Amino acid sequence: MQETYSPREVEAAAQQKWQRTAAFKAVEDASRPKYYALSMFPYPSGKLHMGHVRNYTITDVLARFKRLQGFNVLQPMGWDAFGLPAENAAMKNGGAPAAWTYANIEYMKTQLDSLGFALDWERELATCKPDYYRWEQWLFTRLFEKGVIYKKNGVVNWDPVDQTVLANEQVVDGRGWRSGAVVEKREIPMYYFAITKYADELLTSLDTLDGWPEQVKTMQKNWIGKSHGSDVVFAYDQDSIGHGGELKVYTTRPDTLMGATYVAVAAEHPLATQAAANHPALQAFIAECKAGSVAEADVAKMEKKGMDTGLFVIHPLTGAKLPVWVANYVLWGYGEGAVMAVPAHDERDFEFANKYSLPLLQVYAKVAGDNDFDASNWQDWYAAKDDSVRTVNSGKYDGKSFYEAFDAIVGDLEAKAAGQKKTQYRLRDWGISRQRYWGCPIPIIHCPTCGDVPVPEKDLPVVLPENVIPDGAGSPLAKMPEFYETSCPKCGGAAKRETDTMDTFVESSWYYARYASPKCDTAMLDKAAADYWLQVDQYVGGIEHAILHLLYARFFHKLMRDEGLVSSDEPFKSLLTQGMVICETFYRELPNGSKDWIAPQDVVLERDAKGKITGATHRVDGLPVVVGGVEKMSKSKNNGVDPQEFIEKYGADTARLFMMFAAPPEQSLEWSDAGVEGAFRFLKRLWKLAKEHADAGVVAAYAGGELNASQKELRFKLHSTIQKVADDYGRRQQFNTAIAAVMELLNTYDKTDRSDAAGRAVAQEVLESVTLLLSPIVPHITDAIWSVLQPGSELLAQAWPKVDEAALVKSEIEMMVQVAGKLRGSITVAADAAKDVIEAAALAHENVQKFMEGKPAKKIIVVPGRLVNIVV
């Protein structure tokens, strides 16, 4: 071994060997249990960031651990390569998105390799390649013919900067998630996945996902939002509206129908349009509503506004006339764009009614106490679903509980054909049409005679031209006759190809399955390979994907199952959502009020004796900077650390070790230069221990024979550590505690007599085991150390070290001794010592006698194997 640890040389040698031997190529092998480890694949933006490093290291540790345990491991990698950032970069740089994307892929691939991930690159895929999206188009055409994909006009979120539709989940505080532009409403023709057809199964099958975090399952349950209620039909008041008709609403609380005092409709509702015909103020208000977001989260937070239409509908049970209002909180795309309002028992309706002086009618009261309605404290009268409240002011329904009122009122509605019981979901169908270029073409041809015709399978894929440079003014495909001009597959007449592309979440909804057979050119999936590898055993990625990606992927898996492509019901058996990598931020105020963010490496910190930051100055000019707090590493805050620069300085193993040691995987990891230095020191120490042992000559690992007490203690520590680390890696997935256990083991190793032959054999056993235990986390240095400890053998060919149960049986144990509950010493006794022997040894301890002060023992409590407490 070299005298000192040189990560650059050690890591280059290991990586070249792995590449040369195709060490991580996975093949189906029915003789071994399989393990499919997968990280959420990256968008090829140009460079990895430390969040990527953490995500992929976690997955790699699990993959390498399972390999040591004898599993047939698959860990693939690919690229989520379509998307708007490539178009924006192309416009900025004057090049085609394809060229930018492929160049980024090549660079990021070298970065991944430099981190030593055990990836099967033969299964690499990029979603922008025709051999991938061909099968997405193939599935689209099948689902379109079955009605699982359909086309209709829809009110959508329109990003005026990016010139495209956004899903509700892509609208944040009323703005586009990428551009930051204020989102507008537009009504355009769209293609939809009928995800609502699978709503109940998506909900109920969450209960089968024992390996998923409860937080993620709860988020999905809330998003799907199953509710039980009733449709209620309000007939049009012909005197005010001028014609017959009906307004249908859905409510989860039909039991409060007798408290309805108005109805509210969306700006797009026909009643709103009619009322606005000769009403300029209402026209202006409707235009304002239409400019808002259609995302429920935004609607919930916005100020509630409305205008009276002057129109009325008829209450189905009382015959009363209820005014019709246009309200900005009612969404046209949800239900039939109308709600009934019960201000006395709904917070939103209460706020609205108070603002516009609309009546409140209490229909629930507490069973005991004053039943007078207090408008300033309406929450006291919220319609509880238990026996603490009963209906009031409800005519024949008075005195009923929630369930009694629900059934009675719905029964009467059904008898009058004015409503019926209904189960509904918050989930809405998934609109996938996007008016942008860099995406998968939608395989539909528009024929003036035949209508919308799917592209025949023989003509797939519809290839996206890759030499296009977008200008930002809508999709360039719509301006390319060479792309959209075609003939109808049915009648042969002139037709136009669809120029919208698919939401890129479609590509990321099934890539995990394609990894099972990425080179298959006769089918979307090779069924045998898919059945061997799927489900994914361990999926790792950020919790920010809990709804968008993870729900869509679950939906897509069920679509593929129903097409006979896969056999399982769910895509991901276990899910680990890793925390963010966070770091201090620093800035200076600019004259215009904005902030000039300064990189942490350019800041000199002053700290007090407790390590608290007391000041910060710029490394170059020495002038003060402001400490902005700890935030997620990002370009915008300039607080990121470039993985490539880090690797060049410290090596990949230091990065991996720090990432795994600094925090449990599901928690945020705060970047620490001191922590990085500590990780690097530990690797140098490990190298030094291995070198010292190797210089004295490697020997056979301990296989039996006499040992002294310290050597027995070291073997006990070794095999208890093997047990713990296996549990930390496999069951608990707490890698920081596994590393700490190995560090403690090496501390014991340092204190142990290793000079005789038995000590050398135990030292060999410890170092071999430590090398294997740490190899999933720091694979390069352990590969080099193994080649010295076991010349001629390969670390990757080894098995996880076995626990020697005999080493865990101690002949002697140490027990703490307390006097009156305070620790006063320790004793060493035989492991099977009788209680009276333990008591006698404790009483004889010199320090124990001192604190007993000559007083007799009133009581002696022995906790077997742990401590003795003497009460005087």
Side-chain angles (χ1 to χ4, degrees), residues 733-761:
Q733 295 182 339
Q734 299 293 295
F735 313 115
N736 56 324
T737 55
I739 296 167
V742 174
M743 290 177 171
E744 290 177 13
L745 170 61
L746 290 179
N747 289 340
T748 304
Y749 175 89
D750 277 340
K751 300 172 186 174
T752 303
D753 174 22
R754 309 188 301 274
S755 57
D756 60 8
R760 296 282 303 152

Short mmCIF file of all heavy atoms in Angstrom, two decimals, residues 733-761:
data_model
loop_
_atom_site.label_atom_id
_atom_site.label_comp_id
_atom_site.label_asym_id
_atom_site.label_seq_id
_atom_site.Cartn_x
_atom_site.Cartn_y
_atom_site.Cartn_z
N GLN A 733 -32.42 1.28 7.94
CA GLN A 733 -31.93 2.23 6.93
C GLN A 733 -31.42 3.51 7.61
O GLN A 733 -31.69 4.62 7.18
CB GLN A 733 -33.02 2.54 5.91
CG GLN A 733 -33.41 1.32 5.08
CD GLN A 733 -34.46 1.61 4.02
OE1 GLN A 733 -35.19 2.58 4.10
NE2 GLN A 733 -34.52 0.76 3.01
N GLN A 734 -30.64 3.30 8.66
CA GLN A 734 -30.01 4.39 9.41
C GLN A 734 -28.50 4.24 9.29
O GLN A 734 -27.85 3.60 10.11
CB GLN A 734 -30.45 4.38 10.87
CG GLN A 734 -31.94 4.55 11.05
CD GLN A 734 -32.41 5.94 10.63
OE1 GLN A 734 -32.06 6.94 11.24
NE2 GLN A 734 -33.23 5.98 9.59
N PHE A 735 -27.94 4.84 8.26
CA PHE A 735 -26.54 4.60 7.92
C PHE A 735 -25.59 5.34 8.86
O PHE A 735 -24.45 4.93 9.06
CB PHE A 735 -26.30 5.00 6.47
CG PHE A 735 -27.34 4.46 5.53
CD1 PHE A 735 -28.19 5.30 4.84
CD2 PHE A 735 -27.49 3.10 5.37
CE1 PHE A 735 -29.18 4.80 4.00
CE2 PHE A 735 -28.46 2.58 4.53
CZ PHE A 735 -29.31 3.44 3.85
N ASN A 736 -26.04 6.43 9.44
CA ASN A 736 -25.19 7.18 10.36
C ASN A 736 -24.85 6.35 11.60
O ASN A 736 -23.72 6.37 12.09
CB ASN A 736 -25.83 8.50 10.75
CG ASN A 736 -27.21 8.33 11.37
OD1 ASN A 736 -27.98 7.45 10.97
ND2 ASN A 736 -27.55 9.18 12.33
N THR A 737 -25.82 5.59 12.11
CA THR A 737 -25.54 4.77 13.28
C THR A 737 -24.67 3.56 12.92
O THR A 737 -23.89 3.09 13.75
CB THR A 737 -26.85 4.29 13.93
OG1 THR A 737 -27.66 3.62 12.95
CG2 THR A 737 -27.63 5.48 14.48
N ALA A 738 -24.78 3.08 11.69
CA ALA A 738 -23.91 1.99 11.25
C ALA A 738 -22.45 2.45 11.22
O ALA A 738 -21.54 1.74 11.68
CB ALA A 738 -24.33 1.50 9.86
N ILE A 739 -22.23 3.65 10.68
CA ILE A 739 -20.87 4.19 10.62
C ILE A 739 -20.33 4.42 12.03
O ILE A 739 -19.17 4.09 12.33
CB ILE A 739 -20.86 5.50 9.82
CG1 ILE A 739 -21.25 5.24 8.37
CG2 ILE A 739 -19.48 6.17 9.87
CD1 ILE A 739 -21.56 6.49 7.57
N ALA A 740 -21.18 4.96 12.92
CA ALA A 740 -20.75 5.20 14.30
C ALA A 740 -20.35 3.89 14.97
O ALA A 740 -19.37 3.84 15.74
CB ALA A 740 -21.87 5.88 15.07
N ALA A 741 -21.08 2.81 14.69
CA ALA A 741 -20.76 1.52 15.30
C ALA A 741 -19.40 1.02 14.83
O ALA A 741 -18.61 0.46 15.62
CB ALA A 741 -21.85 0.50 14.95
N VAL A 742 -19.08 1.21 13.55
CA VAL A 742 -17.77 0.79 13.03
C VAL A 742 -16.66 1.65 13.65
O VAL A 742 -15.57 1.14 13.98
CB VAL A 742 -17.74 0.88 11.50
CG1 VAL A 742 -16.34 0.59 10.97
CG2 VAL A 742 -18.74 -0.10 10.89
N MET A 743 -16.92 2.92 13.82
CA MET A 743 -15.93 3.79 14.47
C MET A 743 -15.64 3.33 15.90
O MET A 743 -14.49 3.30 16.34
CB MET A 743 -16.42 5.23 14.47
CG MET A 743 -16.44 5.89 13.10
SD MET A 743 -17.13 7.57 13.18
CE MET A 743 -16.77 8.16 11.50
N GLU A 744 -16.69 2.97 16.62
CA GLU A 744 -16.51 2.46 17.99
C GLU A 744 -15.71 1.16 17.97
O GLU A 744 -14.85 0.93 18.84
CB GLU A 744 -17.87 2.22 18.64
CG GLU A 744 -18.63 3.49 18.97
CD GLU A 744 -20.00 3.17 19.57
OE1 GLU A 744 -20.24 2.00 19.93
OE2 GLU A 744 -20.83 4.09 19.66
N LEU A 745 -15.99 0.30 17.00
CA LEU A 745 -15.24 -0.95 16.87
C LEU A 745 -13.75 -0.67 16.68
O LEU A 745 -12.90 -1.31 17.31
CB LEU A 745 -15.80 -1.76 15.70
CG LEU A 745 -14.99 -2.99 15.27
CD1 LEU A 745 -14.89 -4.01 16.41
CD2 LEU A 745 -15.61 -3.63 14.04
N LEU A 746 -13.43 0.30 15.81
CA LEU A 746 -12.02 0.61 15.57
C LEU A 746 -11.36 1.25 16.79
O LEU A 746 -10.15 1.10 17.00
CB LEU A 746 -11.88 1.52 14.35
CG LEU A 746 -12.21 0.83 13.01
CD1 LEU A 746 -12.09 1.82 11.86
CD2 LEU A 746 -11.30 -0.38 12.77
N ASN A 747 -12.14 1.94 17.60
CA ASN A 747 -11.58 2.46 18.86
C ASN A 747 -11.19 1.31 19.77
O ASN A 747 -10.13 1.34 20.41
CB ASN A 747 -12.61 3.36 19.56
CG ASN A 747 -12.80 4.68 18.85
OD1 ASN A 747 -11.95 5.10 18.07
ND2 ASN A 747 -13.92 5.34 19.11
N THR A 748 -12.04 0.29 19.84
CA THR A 748 -11.72 -0.91 20.63
C THR A 748 -10.52 -1.62 20.03
O THR A 748 -9.64 -2.11 20.76
CB THR A 748 -12.94 -1.85 20.68
OG1 THR A 748 -14.07 -1.16 21.19
CG2 THR A 748 -12.66 -3.07 21.54
N TYR A 749 -10.45 -1.69 18.71
CA TYR A 749 -9.32 -2.30 18.00
C TYR A 749 -8.00 -1.63 18.40
O TYR A 749 -7.00 -2.30 18.68
CB TYR A 749 -9.57 -2.17 16.50
CG TYR A 749 -8.45 -2.64 15.60
CD1 TYR A 749 -8.38 -3.97 15.17
CD2 TYR A 749 -7.46 -1.76 15.16
CE1 TYR A 749 -7.37 -4.41 14.33
CE2 TYR A 749 -6.44 -2.19 14.32
CZ TYR A 749 -6.40 -3.51 13.90
OH TYR A 749 -5.39 -3.93 13.07
N ASP A 750 -8.00 -0.31 18.46
CA ASP A 750 -6.79 0.43 18.82
C ASP A 750 -6.30 0.08 20.22
O ASP A 750 -5.10 0.11 20.49
CB ASP A 750 -7.06 1.94 18.73
CG ASP A 750 -6.92 2.47 17.32
OD1 ASP A 750 -6.28 1.81 16.49
OD2 ASP A 750 -7.49 3.55 17.03
N LYS A 751 -7.23 -0.24 21.13
CA LYS A 751 -6.87 -0.48 22.53
C LYS A 751 -6.52 -1.95 22.81
O LYS A 751 -6.16 -2.30 23.93
CB LYS A 751 -8.04 -0.09 23.43
CG LYS A 751 -8.44 1.38 23.33
CD LYS A 751 -9.73 1.64 24.10
CE LYS A 751 -10.23 3.05 23.89
NZ LYS A 751 -11.56 3.25 24.55
N THR A 752 -6.65 -2.79 21.81
CA THR A 752 -6.49 -4.24 22.01
C THR A 752 -5.08 -4.69 21.71
O THR A 752 -4.45 -4.24 20.74
CB THR A 752 -7.49 -5.01 21.12
OG1 THR A 752 -8.81 -4.57 21.41
CG2 THR A 752 -7.39 -6.51 21.36
N ASP A 753 -4.57 -5.62 22.52
CA ASP A 753 -3.24 -6.22 22.28
C ASP A 753 -3.31 -7.09 21.02
O ASP A 753 -4.06 -8.05 20.96
CB ASP A 753 -2.87 -7.07 23.49
CG ASP A 753 -1.57 -7.84 23.27
OD1 ASP A 753 -0.78 -7.41 22.40
OD2 ASP A 753 -1.37 -8.86 23.94
N ARG A 754 -2.50 -6.70 20.02
CA ARG A 754 -2.50 -7.44 18.75
C ARG A 754 -1.10 -7.96 18.41
O ARG A 754 -0.80 -8.25 17.26
CB ARG A 754 -2.99 -6.54 17.61
CG ARG A 754 -4.30 -5.84 17.90
CD ARG A 754 -4.86 -5.11 16.69
NE ARG A 754 -3.95 -4.10 16.16
CZ ARG A 754 -3.88 -2.85 16.59
NH1 ARG A 754 -4.64 -2.45 17.60
NH2 ARG A 754 -3.05 -1.98 16.04
N SER A 755 -0.25 -8.09 19.43
CA SER A 755 1.16 -8.39 19.16
C SER A 755 1.43 -9.88 18.91
O SER A 755 2.34 -10.22 18.15
CB SER A 755 2.03 -7.91 20.33
OG SER A 755 1.60 -8.52 21.55
N ASP A 756 0.66 -10.76 19.56
CA ASP A 756 0.93 -12.19 19.38
C ASP A 756 0.17 -12.72 18.16
O ASP A 756 -0.57 -11.99 17.49
CB ASP A 756 0.58 -12.97 20.64
CG ASP A 756 -0.90 -12.84 21.02
OD1 ASP A 756 -1.70 -12.28 20.22
OD2 ASP A 756 -1.27 -13.29 22.12
N ALA A 757 0.36 -14.00 17.89
CA ALA A 757 -0.24 -14.61 16.70
C ALA A 757 -1.76 -14.56 16.76
O ALA A 757 -2.44 -14.27 15.76
CB ALA A 757 0.23 -16.06 16.56
N ALA A 758 -2.32 -14.80 17.95
CA ALA A 758 -3.78 -14.77 18.09
C ALA A 758 -4.29 -13.35 17.84
O ALA A 758 -5.31 -13.14 17.17
CB ALA A 758 -4.18 -15.25 19.48
N GLY A 759 -3.57 -12.38 18.38
CA GLY A 759 -3.97 -10.97 18.20
C GLY A 759 -3.90 -10.57 16.74
O GLY A 759 -4.77 -9.83 16.26
N ARG A 760 -2.88 -11.08 16.01
CA ARG A 760 -2.76 -10.77 14.57
C ARG A 760 -3.94 -11.38 13.80
O ARG A 760 -4.48 -10.76 12.88
CB ARG A 760 -1.45 -11.33 14.01
CG ARG A 760 -0.19 -10.73 14.59
CD ARG A 760 0.14 -9.38 14.02
NE ARG A 760 0.27 -9.42 12.57
CZ ARG A 760 0.02 -8.39 11.78
NH1 ARG A 760 -0.39 -7.25 12.32
NH2 ARG A 760 0.17 -8.48 10.48
N ALA A 761 -4.33 -12.60 14.18
CA ALA A 761 -5.44 -13.26 13.50
C ALA A 761 -6.76 -12.53 13.75
O ALA A 761 -7.58 -12.36 12.84
CB ALA A 761 -5.55 -14.72 13.96
#
